[in-house]
Amino acid sequence: MKTVGIIGLGLIGGSMAIDLRRRRFAEELIGVDSEPVNAAAAVRIGLVDEIVSFEECVRRSDLIVLAVPVGTAAGMLPGILDRFAVAEDGARKIVIDVCSAKEALVRAVKNHPMRSRYVSTHPMAGTEYSGPWAAVPGLFDGRACIICNRGESDPDAAAAVENLYDVLNMRQIDMDASNHDVHTAYVSHISHITSFALALTVLDKEKNEKHIFDLASGGFSSTVRLAKSSADMWVPIFSQNRDNVVKVIDTYLERMKDFRNAIADGDEDSVRSLIEEANRIKRIIR
Amino acid sequence: MKTVGIIGLGLIGGSMAIDLRRRRFAEELIGVDSEPVNAAAAVRIGLVDEIVSFEECVRRSDLIVLAVPVGTAAGMLPGILDRFAVAEDGARKIVIDVCSAKEALVRAVKNHPMRSRYVSTHPMAGTEYSGPWAAVPGLFDGRACIICNRGESDPDAAAAVENLYDVLNMRQIDMDASNHDVHTAYVSHISHITSFALALTVLDKEKNEKHIFDLASGGFSSTVRLAKSSADMWVPIFSQNRDNVVKVIDTYLERMKDFRNAIADGDEDSVRSLIEEANRIKRIIR
């Protein structure tokens, strides 16, 4: 591919830039970031060759990676397709997003005349850090990437994106956008909320008990790790996937109350059953 | 120290055996385990030199490490001190426990004539695995070890135990047993309950959606890791630390409901505030 444009040079966009360059997927990498500090850092670190305007990025890129928070992506995607519609080579250009909630995004461009130049993707990789400084090589290796509603994209666009994720060493899974949003609510979004709530619980206590964190065990650190995740990314995810997320939280609250009541009642048999049931996760997560 | 006896050859007792041997703290290591398979494995792996009866372990050991679940420890500790009381060298023997809930245990022997030969300790290290096969070298290096109510132990006993934890490379922190139980409820016990509840929530969904775990992200795996932890260990901890644990769960449920309601109401400002407040955990956990 000649020119890849990356809009949003954070953890995901930046990490993608690193691997697309060193694995020679792109001859040229150009980038856009609304934060001047991030943009300057992305060039200095060498993530992209050049920082350009949004307009120039859309004009020059053969493939655009939209790697901004999902609310922003939903705002920008129709505008990108509008520009494809009037560009001479618009019918050969491709745009993908990499967001963690997909249904609203897919719905936003459902009837756009250039819809078929968009491929909806979710590379399931990340860390709790953000910004161009958080970008790392190999972030995507071996992880799952979900391609949503592939049939709504042109075959050549889908094939180019398949090649891109092959280069990133990702396992590709096809899924309907609305199924995607149910599943990620369970295996990703709820984990973040439980971590945020855990951090709030413990921080509240810590106001009065300064040395409580001397005791933070490895277990606490791993459970609370995601609570470092950025509000800019997660606020729009929870908004766009609201119905699914609320449903999962409600189920979770029920399970938490089962534990609470069994412990409060001194009902050791029920506590044991709950733990042994939870232990079945061993079968699935190594 | 000539002979160290380890009662309970699981993750903690076994890992302690490995480091006490290779760092030459003990000339001889003997062990007790009520599970014949565990006992046989502990000898085969080389954790201890010999498996002996409980009686023989108490008789031959200069220092006993009681590394069984906290409910079992509370039952055994008075019996060990009873045997010290009638042994010729009982006034030189030492027993420690390594449990994660301390107040009930300390209370159980408060008025025992041999109380001062007991040192109450909590080395804060572990993994989600259990049994002698889970024992690893270096498990305790650099972690915190809480010594509870040190003033109730004889100075020579406290000094020997200080030396033992120096050999294990642990940071030692003195604390009152009841404070210990409050703090561990916050920084350890609640993390396990949130993981168990998360596993239950997702496993429940998975009954109908077989491939949901194809999508399990790194974030989910780290948040749910503790849900593999053993019921044998955790049921008695939650029982013995019931009041503190229930209080922390109640606080946690409130924070979770704050999230739930802000997301359900589409109140992005409140969701953002909650996340940014939770992000303060960065200051504390690296």
Side-chain angles (χ1 to χ4, degrees):
Chain A
M1 185 120 332
K2 194 176 171 311
T3 302
V4 171
I6 298 185
I7 302 179
L9 296 161
L11 167 69
I12 298 297
S15 299
M16 213 172 255
I18 291 172
D19 284 345
L20 293 181
R21 181 189 300 283
R22 66 180 182 140
R23 294 172 188 170
R24 300 173 196 272
F25 179 85
E27 284 175 37
E28 177 184 52
L29 280 159
I30 60 179
V32 178
D33 201 291
S34 61
E35 285 284 341
V37 175
N38 287 9
V43 172
R44 180 162 303 184
I45 296 168
L47 300 179
V48 291
D49 300 306
E50 199 182 334
I51 292 293
V52 296
S53 68
F54 173 79
E55 294 293 343
E56 186 176 347
C57 181
V58 177
R59 192 175 67 244
R60 282 173 54 188
S61 300
D62 302 298
L63 185 147
I64 294 167
V65 177
L66 194 51
V68 294
V70 63
T72 314
M76 291 175 109
L77 182 59
I80 294 171
L81 294 179
D82 290 348
R83 285 163 180 77
F84 284 7
V86 297
E88 199 181 320
D89 61 346
R92 290 192 303 275
K93 287 178 182 288
I94 301 164
V95 58
I96 70 172
D97 80 298
V98 295
C99 297
S100 179
K102 305 250 71 110
E103 202 178 2
L105 210 49
V106 164
R107 204 187 310 118
V109 294
K110 190 171 173 48
N111 298 312
H112 197 288
M114 299 301 280
R115 164 65 182 89
S116 61
R117 303 311 300 165
Y118 161 57
V119 185
S120 174
T121 79
H122 179 198
M124 296 198 66
T127 72
E128 65 274 34
Y129 305 108
S130 49
W133 308 273
V136 286
L139 181 69
F140 307 98
D141 289 346
R143 315 305 303 270
C145 180
I146 303 169
I147 313 292
C148 290
N149 301 27
R150 187 192 295 250
E152 295 172 19
S153 304
D154 284 341
D156 73 294
V161 172
E162 189 175 329
N163 182 28
L164 180 147
Y165 284 116
D166 278 344
V167 165
L168 295 179
N169 286 331
M170 301 199 82
R171 290 184 288 122
Q172 295 175 50
I173 298 167
D174 273 296
M175 201 175 286
D176 171 74
S178 78
N179 273 339
H180 167 277
D181 285 8
V182 171
H183 290 175
T184 50
Y186 277 92
V187 297
S188 165
H189 304 171
I190 183 72
S191 302
H192 286 79
I193 297 171
T194 63
S195 274
F196 289 133
L198 181 62
L200 290 171
T201 303
V202 177
L203 286 163
D204 189 49
K205 179 68 182 172
E206 191 250 355
K207 282 178 196 152
N208 308 312
E209 310 276 354
K210 286 301 176 199
H211 64 314
I212 198 165
F213 288 107
D214 283 352
L215 314 183
S217 59
F220 176 72
S221 301
S222 89
T223 321
V224 86
R225 177 171 72 81
L226 301 180
K228 302 175 190 171
S229 302
S230 103
D232 288 342
M233 172 169 174
W234 284 96
V235 171
I237 290 174
F238 298 145
S239 286
Q240 299 225 356
N241 202 17
R242 178 170 66 181
D243 294 347
N244 291 314
V245 167
V246 169
K247 202 147 102 186
V248 181
I249 295 178
D250 286 342
T251 307
Y252 180 84
L253 283 169
E254 288 309 311
R255 295 295 83 73
M256 207 56 198
K257 281 180 210 152
D258 293 343
F259 259 103
R260 188 240 179 252
N261 294 337
I263 294 171
D265 295 347
D267 178 358
E268 295 201 348
D269 288 344
S270 294
V271 176
R272 175 172 294 274
S273 298
L274 287 164
I275 293 178
E276 288 175 350
E277 172 89 11
N279 285 165
R280 295 196 300 117
I281 202 78
K282 284 183 205 173
R283 288 186 296 128
I284 295 154
I285 306 289
R286 35 138 231 303
Chain B
M1 185 120 333
K2 194 174 169 314
T3 303
V4 171
I6 299 184
I7 301 178
L9 295 162
L11 167 69
I12 299 296
S15 297
M16 213 173 253
I18 291 171
D19 284 346
L20 293 182
R21 180 191 301 283
R22 67 183 182 140
R23 294 171 187 170
R24 299 172 198 272
F25 179 85
E27 286 174 36
E28 177 185 52
L29 279 159
I30 60 179
V32 178
D33 202 293
S34 61
E35 286 284 343
V37 175
N38 287 10
V43 172
R44 181 162 300 184
I45 297 168
L47 299 179
V48 291
D49 301 305
E50 198 181 335
I51 293 293
V52 297
S53 68
F54 173 79
E55 294 293 342
E56 187 175 347
C57 182
V58 176
R59 192 175 68 242
R60 281 173 54 187
S61 301
D62 301 299
L63 185 147
I64 294 167
V65 177
L66 194 51
V68 293
V70 62
T72 314
M76 292 176 109
L77 182 59
I80 294 170
L81 295 179
D82 290 348
R83 284 162 181 77
F84 283 6
V86 296
E88 202 181 319
D89 62 345
R92 290 192 303 276
K93 286 178 182 288
I94 301 165
V95 58
I96 70 172
D97 80 298
V98 296
C99 297
S100 178
K102 306 250 69 112
E103 201 178 3
L105 209 49
V106 163
R107 203 186 310 117
V109 294
K110 191 171 170 49
N111 298 311
H112 196 287
M114 299 303 279
R115 164 67 181 91
S116 60
R117 304 311 300 167
Y118 161 57
V119 185
S120 174
T121 79
H122 180 198
M124 295 196 67
T127 72
E128 64 274 33
Y129 304 109
S130 48
W133 309 272
V136 285
L139 182 69
F140 306 99
D141 290 347
R143 315 306 302 272
C145 180
I146 304 169
I147 313 291
C148 290
N149 301 25
R150 187 192 294 252
E152 296 172 17
S153 304
D154 285 340
D156 72 295
V161 172
E162 189 174 329
N163 183 29
L164 179 148
Y165 283 116
D166 278 345
V167 165
L168 295 178
N169 286 331
M170 301 200 83
R171 295 183 287 120
Q172 295 175 51
I173 299 167
D174 274 295
M175 199 175 286
D176 171 72
S178 78
N179 274 337
H180 167 278
D181 284 7
V182 171
H183 291 174
T184 49
Y186 278 92
V187 296
S188 165
H189 304 173
I190 184 72
S191 303
H192 285 79
I193 296 171
T194 63
S195 275
F196 289 132
L198 180 62
L200 290 172
T201 302
V202 178
L203 285 164
D204 189 48
K205 180 70 179 168
E206 192 251 355
K207 281 178 198 154
N208 307 313
E209 308 278 353
K210 287 301 175 201
H211 65 317
I212 198 166
F213 288 107
D214 283 352
L215 315 182
S217 60
F220 176 73
S221 301
S222 90
T223 321
V224 86
R225 178 172 71 81
L226 300 181
K228 302 176 191 170
S229 302
S230 100
D232 289 341
M233 172 168 174
W234 285 96
V235 171
I237 291 173
F238 298 146
S239 286
Q240 298 226 355
N241 202 18
R242 177 170 69 181
D243 294 349
N244 291 315
V245 167
V246 169
K247 202 148 103 186
V248 181
I249 294 177
D250 285 342
T251 307
Y252 179 84
L253 284 169
E254 288 309 311
R255 296 294 82 73
M256 205 59 197
K257 282 181 210 153
D258 292 345
F259 259 102
R260 187 238 179 255
N261 294 338
I263 293 170
D265 295 346
D267 178 359
E268 295 202 348
D269 289 344
S270 294
V271 176
R272 176 172 292 276
S273 298
L274 287 165
I275 292 178
E276 287 176 349
E277 172 89 10
N279 285 165
R280 295 197 300 118
I281 202 79
K282 285 183 206 173
R283 289 186 295 129
I284 295 154
I285 305 289
R286 41 142 227 302

